[in-house]
Amino acid sequence: MARILIVDDAKFMRMTLSNIFQRANHEVVGEAENGVEAVDLFEKEKPDLVTMDITMPKKNGIEALKEIIQKYSNAKIIMCSAMGQQKMVVEAIEAGAKDFIVKPFDDNRVLEAINRVLG
C-alpha cells in the first residue's frame, strides 16, 4: 500500500484518481490543485508517490516536479497529461518524472504505472 499525493487543477480528475487508488488499497494523503500546493503538501506529507498534472495555474506540473526533485532526488512522480502534450511529457521525464499516464484515465494503466514506479 502506497501513500499517494494527487495533484490536478480539476476536482473531477482528483476524484477519479482517488477512487482508483482507494479501490487498489492505496492511501491518498493529500490533494493539491496547483504546483504551489503540490510542493507544500509534498514537503509536509513526504508521500511514496505523486501523480502530477502538467497544465495547472500558479505553478505548472513541470515547475513543481523540478522543485520537488531538486530537494528530494528520490521522489517518485508520475505525470498526467492530455493527448497532444508529448513535448511536455518528454521534458517532464528528462526533469525526473518516473512515468506518465494519459487522460482520460484507464484504471489498469494507472495502476500499472504506479506498480512499475514503486517497483
Side-chain angles (χ1 to χ4, degrees):
M1 179 171 129
R3 298 172 68 256
I4 302 174
L5 170 62
I6 300 171
V7 184
D8 198 303
D9 59 329
K11 182 161 182 56
F12 173 75
M13 290 298 176
R14 293 196 311 269
M15 272 178 35
T16 300
L17 284 171
S18 184
N19 289 336
I20 293 169
F21 298 148
Q22 287 171 352
R23 281 196 302 270
N25 294 318
H26 294 295
E27 178 188 359
V28 175
V29 295
E31 293 184 11
E33 56 186 49
N34 61 60
V36 174
E37 289 179 11
V39 173
D40 291 345
L41 265 173
F42 187 93
E43 293 191 340
K44 196 175 114 201
E45 295 293 341
K46 308 281 192 304
D48 300 320
L49 183 83
V50 180
T51 60
M52 178 91 67
D53 187 23
I54 292 178
T55 310
M56 295 182 293
K58 293 187 183 173
K59 181 180 288 185
N60 73 34
I62 293 179
E63 293 166 333
L65 162 77
K66 288 177 178 174
E67 195 172 326
I68 291 169
I69 293 288
Q70 189 175 22
K71 292 180 188 166
Y72 306 94
S73 58
N74 61 345
K76 292 181 170 75
I77 302 174
I78 296 176
M79 302 307 287
C80 304
S81 72
M83 283 303 215
Q85 289 184 313
Q86 282 85 347
K87 196 176 137 223
M88 287 196 227
V89 168
V90 170
E91 185 183 343
I93 298 291
E94 288 172 350
K98 304 291 186 215
D99 204 341
F100 69 95
I101 47 182
V102 178
K103 297 175 184 178
F105 298 123
D106 170 78
D107 294 27
N108 292 330
R109 173 71 184 101
V110 170
L111 294 173
E112 281 169 17
I114 285 171
N115 292 335
R116 197 169 36 248
V117 169
L118 292 173

Short mmCIF file of all heavy atoms in Angstrom, two decimals, residues 12 15 36 48 57 61 65 79 93 104:
data_model
loop_
_atom_site.label_atom_id
_atom_site.label_comp_id
_atom_site.label_asym_id
_atom_site.label_seq_id
_atom_site.Cartn_x
_atom_site.Cartn_y
_atom_site.Cartn_z
N PHE A 12 -12.67 16.85 -10.60
CA PHE A 12 -13.15 15.59 -11.15
C PHE A 12 -11.99 14.61 -11.38
O PHE A 12 -12.11 13.42 -11.10
CB PHE A 12 -13.92 15.84 -12.46
CG PHE A 12 -14.30 14.57 -13.16
CD1 PHE A 12 -15.35 13.79 -12.69
CD2 PHE A 12 -13.59 14.12 -14.28
CE1 PHE A 12 -15.69 12.60 -13.33
CE2 PHE A 12 -13.93 12.94 -14.92
CZ PHE A 12 -14.98 12.18 -14.44
N MET A 15 -10.79 13.30 -8.05
CA MET A 15 -11.74 12.30 -7.54
C MET A 15 -11.57 10.97 -8.28
O MET A 15 -11.59 9.91 -7.66
CB MET A 15 -13.18 12.78 -7.72
CG MET A 15 -13.71 13.60 -6.56
SD MET A 15 -15.40 14.21 -6.84
CE MET A 15 -16.19 12.91 -7.74
N VAL A 36 2.05 25.08 -6.58
CA VAL A 36 2.47 25.66 -5.30
C VAL A 36 2.00 24.77 -4.15
O VAL A 36 2.78 24.40 -3.26
CB VAL A 36 1.92 27.11 -5.14
CG1 VAL A 36 2.24 27.66 -3.76
CG2 VAL A 36 2.48 28.02 -6.23
N ASP A 48 4.81 8.47 -0.85
CA ASP A 48 5.60 7.48 -1.59
C ASP A 48 5.57 7.79 -3.08
O ASP A 48 6.49 7.41 -3.82
CB ASP A 48 5.00 6.07 -1.39
CG ASP A 48 4.98 5.66 0.07
OD1 ASP A 48 5.96 5.96 0.78
OD2 ASP A 48 3.98 5.05 0.49
N PRO A 57 -2.74 26.16 -12.84
CA PRO A 57 -2.47 27.57 -12.55
C PRO A 57 -1.37 27.73 -11.49
O PRO A 57 -1.00 26.76 -10.84
CB PRO A 57 -3.81 28.07 -12.01
CG PRO A 57 -4.48 26.86 -11.46
CD PRO A 57 -4.02 25.71 -12.32
N GLY A 61 2.89 21.75 -13.60
CA GLY A 61 3.39 20.49 -13.08
C GLY A 61 4.88 20.28 -13.30
O GLY A 61 5.56 19.69 -12.47
N LEU A 65 7.44 19.70 -10.37
CA LEU A 65 8.28 18.50 -10.46
C LEU A 65 9.75 18.86 -10.23
O LEU A 65 10.43 18.25 -9.40
CB LEU A 65 8.10 17.86 -11.84
CG LEU A 65 9.17 16.85 -12.28
CD1 LEU A 65 8.96 15.51 -11.59
CD2 LEU A 65 9.16 16.67 -13.79
N MET A 79 3.67 11.86 -14.15
CA MET A 79 2.98 12.99 -14.77
C MET A 79 1.69 12.53 -15.44
O MET A 79 1.62 11.42 -15.96
CB MET A 79 3.88 13.65 -15.83
CG MET A 79 5.22 14.16 -15.29
SD MET A 79 5.12 15.25 -13.86
CE MET A 79 4.48 16.74 -14.62
N ILE A 93 9.93 13.89 -18.13
CA ILE A 93 10.75 12.68 -17.93
C ILE A 93 12.22 13.08 -17.79
O ILE A 93 12.93 12.60 -16.91
CB ILE A 93 10.56 11.67 -19.09
CG1 ILE A 93 9.10 11.18 -19.17
CG2 ILE A 93 11.53 10.50 -18.96
CD1 ILE A 93 8.61 10.30 -18.06
N PRO A 104 -8.10 10.63 -20.94
CA PRO A 104 -8.83 10.19 -19.73
C PRO A 104 -8.18 8.93 -19.15
O PRO A 104 -7.60 8.12 -19.89
CB PRO A 104 -10.24 9.89 -20.24
CG PRO A 104 -10.06 9.61 -21.71
CD PRO A 104 -8.88 10.44 -22.15
#
